[in-house]
Amino acid sequence: MASVFGVLRCGAAGVLALALALPAQAADYGHYLLGDTSAKTPGKVQPGLLLMGGGDRNFDAMRWFMQHAGNGHIVVLRASLGGEIGEEFFNEVGGIKSVETFVFKDREASTDPKILAALKRADGIFIAGGDQSRYVRYWRGTPVAEALDAHVRAGKPLGGTSAGLAMQGEYLYGAMDGGSQISPRALADPLGPENTIETGFLHLDLLKGIVTDTHFTERNRLGRLIAFVAKAESMAGRPLIGLGVDEDAAVAVEGDGTARVYATAPMAGATVVRGGFAKQAEDEPMKLDRVDTVGAGTGSVLHLPDGRVDKPAFERRYAVRNGVLTAMDTPMLVIHGGAGVEPGDLNKEEEQAARAALEAALRAGHAKLQAGASSLDAVTAAINVMEDAPQFNAGRGAVFTHDGRNELDTSIMDGATGKAGAAAGLHRVKNPINLARAIMEKSKHVMMVGDGAEMFAKEQGIELVDPSYFRTEKRWQQLQKALAAEKNAQASHTPLELPGKAYFGTVGALALDAQGHLAAGTSTGGMTNKRYGRVGDSPIIGAGTWADARCAVSGTGWGEFYIRDAAAHEICARVRLAGESIGQAGEGVINGDIPKAGGDGGAIALDAQGVAAFPFNTGGMYRGWIGADGVPHVAIYKTDKLPLPR
């Protein structure tokens, strides 16, 4: 037996604003009502569908829905929680006569006459979020599903958010196994049992031939939507399309199928996936040479059910290679010049020089990508520029060791092949990243150190310089200050405790080329006043540098902790195995694992879809990116805004 809830509310005229109908004795469900269901609907009821991506408080979209319901009577259906969404509709969105919410606990309530009567008289029906498998189990083949179809046929609006959107397409992901599918698993076996695609639920003409999905953020759900379309096509025997709605967006569809986007965040919108995929093999990862997607933004017009988009926000091409979704023809370059820089560390001229050097590095790498060169070429070119710039602790700007020498470390990795090269303890190699690449491409080894590495560099024609090339006055004075601090500590018999910042100083670059291949590289001058041939994470594959088919990372921070946590590899492992977005994975490692262990620093990360992340936990990190348009974007301090590409 459902609980009885009653609250008295008064409107402007002082009339009773709340009534409560008792549920039928045979069914167990929650029932909440705000307003007066007997009041006359003030406006004209019009057909429409509201497809909300799952975010909160998209009030402009909700007002569109209420207006299409004639600002009359709304019925909310859900299978969890209580009447909260109805309270928001009535009290915050406002402008309607009543909101009645039914919370289903089982399938029995789907035949309850009071619920069916409410659905029949409703001017608008809204399906809340939650677990869509409950909706399928509770409603498919019941009078409730028939009532929803009849409501739309009668020219009345239907809306839904999150699961309430996902279940409206002709084909839908039902989550029938009790889980929530992630893109890597979905693409690893698109026809497999975890992609629980359902049909025969609702029959909405404007969503015929469409598979819907929600909570699109950072495109990390795009892979699973593509897999859903593939499985649905195997069931339908005809081409379908996918429609994914960003978490901060809603698609409002008029009765004629034209739709516009309401967004609560910049660049939020919807993504149309063109189906008609090649037949996929059972128990095998997806393989597709081409997947076309089109974005609908706030300035676009989307046409349903055919999926045409006027004034698209973007048009992107992808491929799926052995279950890995990869962006094609959308080159991207991401760089860092080291974490640990703090406000006040640089004067105006130094800051300007650093920004100029970052921009020059981005342009150098971008020029390679625009010319059709590989991601490896772009990474090498960008790092060469930063190694030549005295503003960064790498190459020309390397810091000094305890004995007054410059000691350089570096590494590079090719995500397409898994090959890597690294070198440590260098004193004469002008651009260490070039040696790392030569080791990767022209030797049987991964890492070389010291004199042997420089002997190999000479054999390969890599430029060597006199060690004095690396001497800069600023770095020399930093060493003198560190030596003085060490001497004072020894004299006072107190341990010298270095801040994490003392271990920072690195440059790095990541690139995604037009063929969808990733690469990563890192180069460093080590730490000021280091002894005993100390080596940090920068030349260690998996610690400071990593690239594979779906993810690339370059770190900058307290190397000992990055080594212990295999930080760069850990970020990419979370993307591959846990299905985390590149942003989630980067935050979890750099702002979770590393500080928990006692370290700090930052990283840059880039995935195969061209999504970049810049996690760091210091006052600043030299960083930047450049995309297909060739416009460099750079930042230094945490307070600097660095808009990311959509």
Side-chain angles (χ1 to χ4, degrees):
M1 180 69 180
S3 299
V4 178
F5 299 86
V7 180
L8 295 181
R9 297 177 184 268
C10 293
V15 298
L16 184 65
L18 174 64
L20 179 64
L22 293 174
Q25 297 293 318
D28 184 13
Y29 55 84
H31 182 204
Y32 309 81
L33 190 147
L34 289 169
D36 181 3
T37 58
S38 66
K40 182 180 179 180
T41 298
K44 179 182 178 182
V45 177
Q46 306 169 64
L49 299 174
L50 182 62
L51 310 175
M52 299 188 71
D56 295 330
R57 311 185 76 79
N58 195 330
F59 284 180
D60 287 340
M62 286 309 309
R63 292 186 181 102
W64 175 95
F65 180 75
M66 302 309 181
Q67 186 266 330
H68 278 62
N71 296 110
H73 305 283
I74 308 299
V75 170
V76 176
L77 302 180
R78 65 188 321 170
S80 60
L81 301 178
E84 300 88 353
I85 194 169
E87 293 177 4
E88 182 176 281
F89 288 177
F90 193 81
N91 297 322
E92 298 186 52
V93 178
I96 51 178
K97 294 301 181 182
S98 73
V99 180
E100 196 166 9
T101 302
F102 295 96
V103 183
F104 287 70
K105 300 179 181 179
D106 52 36
R107 190 175 173 88
E108 286 184 5
S110 296
T111 59
D112 184 86
K114 293 187 181 297
I115 294 178
L116 298 177
L119 291 173
K120 186 173 182 178
R121 69 172 179 264
D123 296 315
I125 299 175
F126 191 88
I127 306 169
D131 180 354
Q132 57 242 47
S133 69
R134 294 184 182 181
Y135 297 143
V136 174
R137 292 188 177 100
Y138 294 172
W139 299 346
R140 183 164 57 184
T142 72
V144 166
E146 294 173 5
L148 294 174
D149 280 343
H151 177 86
V152 174
R153 286 197 303 270
K156 299 179 180 180
L158 176 69
T161 184
S162 189
L165 157 59
M167 55 173 288
Q168 292 185 50
E170 182 183 6
Y171 290 85
L172 61 105
Y173 169 60
M176 304 304 287
D177 58 356
S180 180
Q181 185 62 298
I182 59 175
S183 289
R185 283 205 307 262
L187 293 170
D189 187 8
L191 303 187
E194 288 188 329
N195 288 346
T196 56
I197 304 302
E198 306 294 323
T199 191
F201 185 44
L202 297 182
H203 307 84
L204 310 180
D205 289 342
L206 293 180
L207 295 180
K208 186 174 180 59
I210 295 177
V211 182
T212 52
D213 202 6
T214 64
H215 290 285
F216 265 51
T217 52
E218 295 186 2
R219 286 174 268 164
N220 62 315
R221 283 208 174 194
L222 180 59
R224 80 173 206 164
L225 179 56
I226 291 170
F228 293 164
V229 171
K231 183 157 187 181
E233 287 184 342
S234 73
M235 299 164 60
R238 69 182 194 277
L240 305 172
I241 67 172
L243 177 63
V245 183
D246 290 348
E247 190 168 273
D248 296 316
V251 176
V253 189
E254 301 290 347
D256 63 0
T258 59
R260 63 163 294 187
V261 170
Y262 290 91
T264 58
M267 298 185 292
T271 299
V272 175
V273 175
R274 299 288 183 194
F277 298 152
K279 185 178 179 180
Q280 299 299 302
E282 296 277 355
D283 302 320
E284 290 188 11
M286 177 173 275
K287 299 179 181 67
L288 288 173
D289 292 333
R290 183 174 185 130
V291 179
D292 290 310
T293 69
V294 182
T298 55
S300 307
V301 177
L302 170 63
H303 299 269
L304 296 176
D306 60 30
R308 289 181 296 113
V309 180
D310 299 335
K311 298 182 180 179
F314 60 81
E315 295 182 64
R316 296 195 180 105
R317 181 169 70 91
Y318 296 86
V320 185
R321 298 169 175 156
N322 291 316
V324 178
L325 180 63
T326 303
M328 308 295 288
D329 301 326
T330 54
M332 180 76 170
L333 176 67
V334 181
I335 65 172
H336 74 77
V341 59
E342 304 282 345
D345 285 354
L346 307 177
N347 61 38
K348 184 177 180 180
E349 290 73 21
E350 289 173 329
E351 183 177 321
Q352 289 176 341
R355 292 182 185 275
L358 290 170
E359 291 182 1
L362 288 169
R363 290 192 179 96
H366 179 261
K368 294 291 185 181
L369 293 173
Q370 286 298 99
S374 70
S375 55
L376 284 169
D377 290 335
V379 164
T380 304
I383 292 180
N384 269 203
V385 171
M386 290 188 286
E387 287 175 333
D388 291 344
Q391 289 78 22
F392 310 115
N393 178 15
R396 180 80 172 89
V399 299
F400 286 88
T401 65
H402 179 77
D403 58 1
R405 306 178 73 193
N406 303 102
E407 203 161 83
L408 316 175
D409 307 329
T410 184
S411 62
I412 196 168
M413 190 168 186
D414 180 8
T417 64
K419 293 181 178 180
L426 308 175
H427 301 285
R428 298 189 299 132
V429 178
K430 179 176 182 287
N431 293 106
I433 195 68
N434 294 343
L435 175 55
R437 186 166 179 184
I439 291 169
M440 177 181 71
E441 295 178 336
K442 299 178 180 180
S443 81
K444 297 179 180 180
H445 308 303
V446 171
M447 178 179 279
M448 298 180 186
V449 299
D451 294 342
E454 293 192 337
M455 183 182 299
F456 180 78
K458 184 176 181 180
E459 291 176 358
Q460 298 302 317
I462 292 171
E463 186 175 0
L464 302 178
V465 294
D466 186 87
S468 62
Y469 165 82
F470 300 106
R471 189 189 191 286
T472 60
E473 186 61 25
K474 180 177 180 178
R475 300 305 190 196
W476 181 253
Q477 292 305 321
Q478 288 174 344
L479 173 62
Q480 304 314 305
K481 184 178 179 180
L483 290 172
E486 182 179 68
K487 184 177 180 180
N488 290 336
Q490 291 172 346
S492 61
H493 303 288
T494 57
L496 177 64
E497 294 187 7
L498 297 176
K501 183 177 179 180
Y503 292 83
F504 298 172
T506 316
V507 304
L510 316 171
L512 174 70
D513 62 29
Q515 290 70 48
H517 297 144
L518 289 163
T522 310
S523 183
T524 185
M527 62 176 291
T528 299
N529 197 30
K530 74 172 184 175
R531 296 195 192 194
Y532 315 119
R534 177 262 187 188
V535 175
D537 62 301
S538 296
I540 298 178
I541 300 301
T545 302
W546 183 264
D548 56 33
R550 69 181 83 229
C551 171
V553 174
S554 173
T556 165
W558 197 331
E560 279 70 12
F561 294 94
Y562 281 59
I563 295 169
R564 293 168 188 165
D565 285 353
H569 179 269
E570 175 66 16
I571 291 172
C572 291
R574 293 184 182 202
V575 172
R576 175 170 55 93
L577 300 175
E580 293 184 5
S581 71
I582 200 75
Q584 291 171 324
E587 284 293 316
V589 174
I590 300 303
N591 290 324
D593 292 358
I594 296 295
K596 184 178 179 180
D600 48 6
I604 52 175
L606 179 66
D607 73 12
Q609 298 174 58
V611 178
F614 300 83
F616 62 97
N617 50 51
T618 62
M621 180 174 77
Y622 299 104
R623 60 202 187 276
W625 66 272
I626 191 168
D629 64 1
V631 177
H633 303 264
V634 302
I636 297 178
Y637 305 113
K638 182 171 288 187
T639 53
D640 292 345
K641 291 184 179 180
L642 185 66
L644 297 179
R646 186 180 187 281

